[in-house]
Amino acid sequence: MLDSVTDLRALLKDPTLLATKAYVAGEWIDADDGATFEVINPARGDVICSVPDLDRAETARAIAAADKARHEWAARTGKERAAVLRKWHDLMVENADDLAAILTAEMGKPLAEAKGEVVYGASFIEWFAEEAKRIYGETIPGHQRDKRITVIKQPIGVAASITPWNFPNAMITRKAGPALAVGCGFVARPAAETPLSALAMAVLAERAGVPAGVFSVITSKKSSAIGKEFCENHAVRKLTFTGSTEVGRILLRQAADQVMKCSMELGGNAPFIVFDDADLDKAVEGAMISKFRNNGQTCVCANRIYVQAGVYDAFAEKLSAAVAKLNVGDGLKDGVTTGPLINESAVEKVEEHIADALAGGGKVVTGGKRHALGGTFFEPTVVTGITPAMKVSTEETFGPLAPLFKFDTEEEVIQLANNTIFGLASYFYARDIGRITRVQEGLEYGMVGVNTGLISTEVAPFGGVKQSGLGREGSHHGVEDYLEMKYICLSV
Ligand SMILES: NC(=O)C1=CN([C@@H]2O[C@H](COP(=O)(O)OP(=O)(O)OC[C@H]3O[C@@H](n4cnc5c(N)ncnc54)[C@H](OP(=O)(O)O)[C@@H]3O)[C@@H](O)[C@H]2O)C=CC1
Ligand SMILES: O=C(O)[C@H](O)CS(=O)(=O)O
């Protein structure tokens, strides 16, 4: 088991997977001006390595290469593209241990979770390899005797991707999978905190036979500049973003000038509702997964936990007992269930939400402060007595804080749950079929987990409503955002 990142490369079965150059137009390059930035292990504060700090010129070259290479790639049959994607998937799975170690080193999540993300990420490549063979069109009965109408679907062109640090593998494959499956060119810009997972995927893409130029990885701390290049470069026809709603708004405004097709997977504020007819043990199990997966750093984490009055105390006691068992530590060490937060500002956000709750009368049941390990480690926390006036009710904590609200009626909790600008994921536990039907239909969210706290899968459409995003990723719906529909009217 890995216990150090001082020389991560020495710990890998295949050290060549730890790439430290950017991947542009099929070449491994430095920045034009030689600039680099450090990649830090959040658990120890170690510098893992440095990577090039690219700017708009290098990004423009990646886009031009994608715009050139995509034509031959799109001219291949879906079956031919599928074979390359399948090989890419197989290489990811074969190298999952190394990809997980790299992911944990740069992001901090425990190895077991990192391995899970690698397999989850690869599942999108597998899924869209299969979809590549099923990009169907249609024929429509003509509106006049001499007219024959057909509709075909063609790849949109060059797709540009901007992704966050919390799932540095799966957020890229969830986009690159459909894009490459239909014949697009793809330029990825991963978060500066976590570029190594994307570079490792590029190493494997090359080995799988993805043609030079079809897939590039831009490493850069100049996130705004790269985003502007993506939005202003006329060869880019599709922008796909996963991250905060705040940044999503910036990108949508920038992309509007080109009327660019955009997919947005943005912030969330998930309600997790426990009714008095719920199986409380299953509800606690679901809350632990939904709230504490990735140390609370996912957009679909339970952000508000509503418990009906009759079971509030029992649920709070059971949940707190489960939370107290979490093992906080370096994700590279055996048995650790909870790693560090990504950075200091993430810790400060959790502290801010806890302090605000206590000021409003909330009570810490377990946790509540920075962990004795120091750095960005934080005690998994449960706070009772939460009210809608508190910050945690309207802001995404993105950390290990479980705030428990008490409610009385079904109507009240649906109104509370829907009272947010977000609409990504939601969850509830109940057993009465009438209640389940009413609540699942009443929640204004893109995704609803009923008696489960884990809903993410490649087979289902992932995405939000309201200010949680635009479009869906995964499932057979996931290819649509990378296709243009063409209507052909033939006069015979
Ligand atoms: N709906 C979903 O699936 C997901 C949503 N999120 C949401 O994102 C937030 C946490 O992730 P976080 O990474 O902090 O989100 P951010 O939105 O800050 O960053 C996301 C990505 O956007 C880049 N970025 C930041 N500013 C700009 C800009 N002006 N132009 C172009 N790119 C930019 C970042 O680069 P850099 O970091 O290098 O500055 C990063 O790669 C939470 O709100 C969470 O809910 C996160 C993951 C999934
Ligand atoms: O970035 C995220 O939060 C992911 O979308 C969460 S998931 O897909 O792994 O659930």
Side-chain angles (χ1 to χ4, degrees):
M1 184 55 66
L2 303 168
D3 61 6
S4 159
V5 290
T6 305
D7 186 350
L8 176 58
R9 190 171 276 116
L11 300 171
L12 301 180
K13 296 171 195 158
D14 179 356
T16 64
L17 287 174
L18 184 53
T20 55
K21 289 183 181 289
Y23 185 62
V24 171
E27 302 291 330
W28 295 93
I29 69 165
D30 295 314
D32 290 351
D33 63 2
T36 63
F37 64 92
E38 292 177 338
V39 183
I40 305 295
N41 167 242
R44 302 156 61 103
D46 290 355
V47 175
I48 302 170
C49 60
S50 293
V51 295
D53 189 4
L54 271 53
D55 207 333
R56 295 188 65 157
E58 301 93 319
T59 304
R61 293 203 298 271
I63 293 166
D67 198 27
K68 183 178 177 196
R70 67 185 177 91
H71 297 289
E72 188 281 327
W73 178 242
R76 297 188 191 190
T77 64
K79 194 170 181 179
E80 289 169 321
R81 290 193 298 274
V84 174
L85 290 177
R86 180 79 220 186
K87 177 65 178 169
W88 196 18
H89 161 269
D90 294 347
L91 288 170
M92 287 176 181
V93 174
E94 287 165 26
N95 293 278
D97 289 338
D98 282 356
L99 295 179
I102 291 168
L103 199 161
T104 295
E106 65 176 352
M107 189 263 145
K109 69 177 68 173
L111 267 180
E113 275 198 48
K115 181 81 172 284
E117 181 186 340
V118 168
V119 172
Y120 172 54
S123 74
F124 288 101
I125 302 300
E126 177 186 53
W127 176 271
F128 288 107
E130 292 154 2
E131 289 298 298
K133 295 177 273 187
R134 298 175 179 79
I135 308 303
Y136 299 137
E138 61 184 321
T139 58
I140 298 171
H143 54 297
Q144 292 170 353
R145 293 186 181 184
D146 68 334
K147 298 295 188 295
R148 302 293 183 271
I149 294 176
T150 54
V151 176
I152 63 172
K153 292 184 180 176
Q154 297 176 299
I156 194 167
V158 173
S161 147
I162 299 172
T163 47
W165 47 264
N166 60 341
F167 286 85
N169 177 295
M171 291 307 95
I172 294 176
T173 60
R174 195 157 78 177
K175 302 165 185 300
L180 268 58
V182 303
C184 290
F186 193 85
V187 181
R189 190 264 162 190
E193 293 93 340
T194 55
L196 302 179
S197 294
L199 293 174
M201 279 192 272
V203 170
L204 296 179
E206 223 178 13
R207 290 180 191 169
V210 175
V214 167
F215 178 77
S216 287
V217 176
I218 302 292
T219 57
S220 179
K221 278 186 80 76
K222 305 179 179 75
S223 51
S224 177
I226 306 307
K228 285 185 177 131
E229 184 61 33
F230 282 168
C231 293
E232 295 169 9
N233 190 311
H234 285 260
V236 175
R237 291 307 312 142
K238 164 79 185 182
L239 177 68
T240 175
F241 173 69
T242 295
S244 64
T245 295
E246 176 194 351
V247 173
R249 291 192 194 100
I250 293 170
L251 292 169
L252 282 169
R253 288 192 196 103
Q254 291 177 179
D257 288 344
Q258 272 214 75
V259 193
M260 188 182 292
K261 199 167 191 175
C262 292
S263 298
M264 292 280 149
E265 291 292 346
L266 305 178
N269 181 4
F272 186 101
I273 305 168
V274 183
F275 286 99
D276 54 16
D277 64 322
D279 177 325
L280 285 193
D281 291 325
K282 289 194 183 304
V284 167
E285 186 183 326
M288 289 301 292
I289 294 170
S290 171
K291 177 66 256 185
F292 293 100
R293 180 164 72 101
N294 203 19
N295 205 3
Q297 301 174 115
T298 95
C299 58
V300 292
C301 279
N303 199 62
R304 298 167 285 158
I305 301 177
Y306 295 98
V307 185
Q308 201 156 19
V311 295
Y312 187 89
D313 293 341
F315 179 83
E317 184 180 345
K318 286 175 178 281
L319 180 66
S320 301
V323 169
K325 291 176 184 164
L326 291 173
N327 179 5
V328 178
D330 184 332
L332 292 174
K333 294 194 181 322
D334 268 338
V336 166
T337 62
T338 306
L341 290 169
I342 189 68
N343 56 34
E344 178 63 20
S345 60
V347 175
E348 290 165 6
K349 181 76 167 288
V350 177
E351 288 179 321
E352 178 193 359
H353 280 187
I354 292 172
D356 174 73
L358 299 185
K363 296 276 186 296
V364 171
V365 181
T366 186
K369 61 186 188 300
R370 291 175 184 248
H371 195 276
L373 286 172
T376 59
F377 290 100
F378 202 90
E379 295 176 348
T381 299
V382 176
V383 179
T384 55
I386 302 293
T387 71
M390 296 172 181
K391 285 184 177 180
V392 72
S393 176
T394 54
E395 296 175 6
E396 192 177 31
T397 305
F398 230 58
L401 166 60
L404 303 190
F405 299 70
K406 187 182 290 184
F407 74 93
D408 293 312
T409 69
E410 188 180 299
E411 295 70 22
E412 173 198 5
V413 76
I414 288 179
Q415 190 278 325
L416 286 169
N418 288 337
N419 183 25
T420 170
I421 63 169
F422 296 106
L424 189 60
S426 57
Y427 311 86
F428 70 93
Y429 278 72
R431 282 184 281 197
D432 177 86
I433 191 62
R435 167 170 284 167
I436 287 173
T437 305
R438 289 189 302 272
V439 175
Q440 69 188 21
E441 292 171 357
L443 288 170
E444 296 167 356
Y445 289 83
M447 301 178 283
V448 183
V450 184
N451 294 327
T452 178
L454 184 58
I455 56 179
S456 304
T457 168
E458 76 284 6
V459 308
F462 184 107
V465 299
K466 299 200 290 190
Q467 297 190 35
S468 283
L470 297 167
R472 293 294 185 271
E473 296 188 314
S475 82
H476 69 88
H477 298 283
V479 291
E480 294 307 326
D481 274 348
Y482 296 90
L483 291 166
E484 289 288 16
M485 185 184 292
K486 181 180 286 178
Y487 149 47
I488 301 166
C489 184
L490 169 65
S491 179
V492 295

